Amino acid sequence: MPGVSVRGLSYEGRRQLAVNLTRVLSLYRPILDAYIIEFFTDNLWGTLPGSWQEALDGLTPPQLATLLLETPSEFLENPSQSSRLTAPFRKHVRPKKQHEIRRLGELVKKLSDVTACTQVVDVGSGQGHLSRFMSLGLGLKVKSIEGDQRLVGRAQHLDQELLQTLEKEDRRNPQGVQASPRRSPHHVVRWVDPTALCEELLLPLENSPRGGARVLLTGLHACGDLSVALLRHFSRPEVAALALVGCCYMKLSDPGGYPLSQWVAALPGSQLSYRLREGACHALEEYAERLQDEAPGLRTHCYRAALETAIRVARPELRRPGVQGIPRAHEIKIEQYVRRGLQRVGLDPQLPLDAAALGAQQAQENRVVAFFSLALLLAPLVETLILLDRLLYIQEQGFHAELLPIFSPELSPRNLVLVATKQPLGQAFSVLETEDG
């Protein structure tokens, strides 16, 4: 389950929700702050209430995953393709991305119409999949901002490839040719500094009407501080609307990236460690599928925790070292894994190991998985607080904002889009939600 929507809550209701979230997070912070590799070194199982231990002990992975899975209707026909995105726009795009660009693109189109925007600016556009769909598929005037020259070059190549494909379709079906000429996105190579305004975002395109542009800013999974940059640009008079899907909360600057609102910043317990923000980015639905399938790779949690114990026996000051991936780890014995892991962190792989202790640790494999699952179940509360902080930040400036669930969480765990406007839209916010939820 992703962060939750706050539709229907008043401004005061949203502030109270932030209070409640900080209280709950304070209560369960030891679980959320824990690193699963320290399951044995820090006796994480023993930190749970006795009643919780009794309820969780002995549960199989499929039992932990109960009621967590659901398949989006648009993927039932062919799980590898979105049936609602036409073939030319699916090329070179993974199924998850197909789902996202269709849903966000259609929402941006509706938002652009109801706010009378003259152009869309897609920030952090990457290879331009969303920009292409909005411009060549939905007829919007789109400027794409991306800091990586290689990605921009790839985007321009894909633009031309798609244009050629669409022209071939036009020749095969002349009755369906649209009246106005198709416009590719206008690509700009530019890194957006989250601490300063970027005038390039606000400049009108050449074919914009006189008087400047009414800009709609959007970002699909804008990473870390890039989301913060878009939120700060929203206060500029040229920007009429915003549609933002954030990601990578652990990359937010501290301080500066969170909290943004005065209300959340003043709440006791509102601070979020790197570990909490990183946990909020996990794909809970994908992990639930692994639980349901009893994937052998789940064993790696237990193996890595056992390795951490052996590392600290050998070098107590060495904590949580990065361990280069051990291929097919779940197929080898726990002792083999630990010895290979010791070598990867620069320790003697022939150090004496307690075989009985390793066996006892492996016997707790399901407990390790249960604790990790419990932390994932609580993590959406962290995401909700981060998004609520952004919502309140917009409202504290006198503007209007909503969080709308537009993606299927099974495909895209970051499924809430923050929609902001300068003028109240009233019932129009419900119009912005696409027809299939």
Side-chain angles (χ1 to χ4, degrees):
M1 146 184 145
V4 297
S5 174
V6 295
R7 292 291 305 280
L9 289 181
S10 65
Y11 178 57
E12 287 304 319
R14 291 171 177 179
R15 298 211 299 180
Q16 184 58 49
L17 177 59
V19 172
N20 296 342
L21 284 171
T22 56
R23 289 173 178 171
V24 172
L25 290 174
S26 296
L27 185 62
Y28 297 115
R29 190 171 290 266
I31 296 173
L32 290 161
D33 255 334
Y35 286 82
I36 199 63
I37 64 174
E38 296 176 330
F39 185 84
F40 300 120
T41 60
D42 291 12
N43 186 25
L44 296 184
W45 187 255
T47 65
L48 297 177
S51 58
W52 289 32
Q53 294 180 33
E54 183 179 350
L56 293 170
D57 207 8
L59 289 182
T60 64
Q63 288 172 325
L64 290 169
T66 300
L67 303 179
L68 291 178
L69 297 177
E70 183 179 346
T71 302
S73 59
E74 67 176 294
F75 284 80
L76 290 178
E77 287 182 23
N78 180 350
S80 69
Q81 301 289 349
S82 171
S83 60
R84 300 193 179 194
L85 199 65
T86 58
F89 292 96
R90 294 201 300 259
K91 191 174 182 181
H92 305 298
V93 186
R94 300 190 311 274
K96 171 181 177 291
K97 196 76 169 182
Q98 294 174 23
H99 173 71
E100 293 169 348
I101 65 174
R102 180 185 70 82
R103 296 297 296 268
L104 183 58
E106 290 174 352
L107 182 141
V108 166
K109 170 66 170 142
K110 293 179 181 180
L111 183 60
S112 176
D113 290 343
V114 298
T115 56
C117 287
T118 58
Q119 69 185 50
V120 174
V121 180
D122 180 11
V123 184
S125 54
Q127 297 185 53
H129 298 309
L130 174 62
S131 293
R132 255 186 310 284
F133 177 59
M134 292 190 298
S135 59
L136 295 172
L138 300 176
L140 294 168
K141 296 178 182 178
V142 180
K143 181 191 294 185
S144 299
I145 308 289
E146 171 56 50
D148 189 329
Q149 174 69 64
R150 294 169 302 173
L151 293 178
V152 173
R154 174 66 173 164
Q156 292 171 328
H157 171 77
L158 294 176
D159 288 351
Q160 293 305 310
E161 184 178 294
L162 178 57
L163 275 171
Q164 292 172 6
T165 300
L166 294 175
E167 288 170 359
K168 289 179 182 178
E169 289 192 350
D170 290 345
R171 288 194 291 270
R172 287 196 297 266
N173 181 28
Q175 291 81 13
V177 176
Q178 60 186 53
S180 57
R182 292 189 173 94
R183 291 184 295 263
S184 296
H186 174 71
H187 295 280
V188 177
V189 181
R190 179 67 183 268
W191 181 77
V192 178
D193 184 349
T195 64
L197 290 177
C198 174
E199 293 298 331
E200 182 62 52
L201 269 66
L202 310 174
L203 292 176
L205 293 168
E206 292 180 0
N207 53 358
S208 292
R210 291 183 179 179
R214 283 179 58 83
V215 173
L216 189 159
L217 292 177
T218 190
L220 176 54
H221 294 156
C223 182
D225 286 342
L226 184 57
S227 291
V228 178
L230 295 187
L231 290 165
R232 289 180 172 150
H233 279 78
F234 181 68
S235 62
R236 287 292 296 264
E238 301 96 323
V239 181
L242 171 72
L244 171 64
V245 181
C247 194
C248 300
Y249 306 127
M250 65 284 195
K251 295 183 180 180
L252 290 168
S253 296
D254 186 13
Y258 168 89
L260 295 173
S261 69
Q262 297 176 18
W263 178 259
V264 173
L267 294 177
S270 64
Q271 297 78 16
L272 298 176
S273 66
Y274 176 95
R275 176 68 189 94
L276 264 70
R277 289 182 279 118
E278 187 271 337
C281 294
H282 279 293
L284 173 58
E285 287 71 24
E286 184 273 336
Y287 190 77
E289 187 171 359
R290 293 172 60 194
L291 293 174
Q292 198 71 271
D293 295 340
E294 294 189 90
L298 294 170
R299 180 175 300 134
T300 308
H301 291 314
C302 181
Y303 278 19
R304 179 62 183 86
L307 170 60
E308 188 71 13
T309 305
I311 290 171
R312 296 193 189 183
V313 169
R315 282 185 58 188
E317 76 282 4
L318 185 58
R319 293 170 174 264
R320 306 175 196 156
V323 178
Q324 184 183 359
I326 298 175
R328 309 187 73 83
H330 59 278
E331 295 181 359
I332 62 178
K333 294 181 178 180
I334 190 170
E335 182 177 340
Q336 291 176 290
Y337 177 93
V338 171
R339 293 196 182 282
R340 293 183 187 179
L342 288 171
Q343 186 173 26
R344 277 168 164 71
V345 297
L347 297 175
D348 183 1
Q350 299 306 317
L351 287 172
L353 299 176
D354 187 335
L358 287 176
Q361 289 171 341
Q362 186 164 9
Q364 298 185 63
E365 182 179 309
N366 279 5
R367 286 184 176 181
V368 180
V369 171
F371 191 96
F372 188 74
S373 300
L374 187 62
L376 284 187
L377 288 170
L378 292 169
L381 300 181
V382 179
E383 180 178 25
T384 300
L385 181 59
I386 293 171
L387 296 179
L388 189 58
D389 169 60
R390 296 175 176 184
L391 196 73
L392 292 171
Y393 170 75
I394 294 291
Q395 292 189 270
E396 285 174 354
Q397 299 176 68
F399 304 135
H400 308 270
E402 286 285 358
L403 288 172
L404 305 179
I406 62 167
F407 302 147
S408 166
E410 287 83 359
L411 291 167
S412 185
R414 312 281 73 76
N415 83 324
L416 291 175
V417 57
L418 190 156
V419 176
T421 60
K422 298 292 179 63
Q423 302 298 325
L425 293 181
Q427 295 301 314
F429 272 118
S430 61
V431 174
L432 295 178
E433 295 182 273
T434 48
E435 68 283 351
D436 53 349

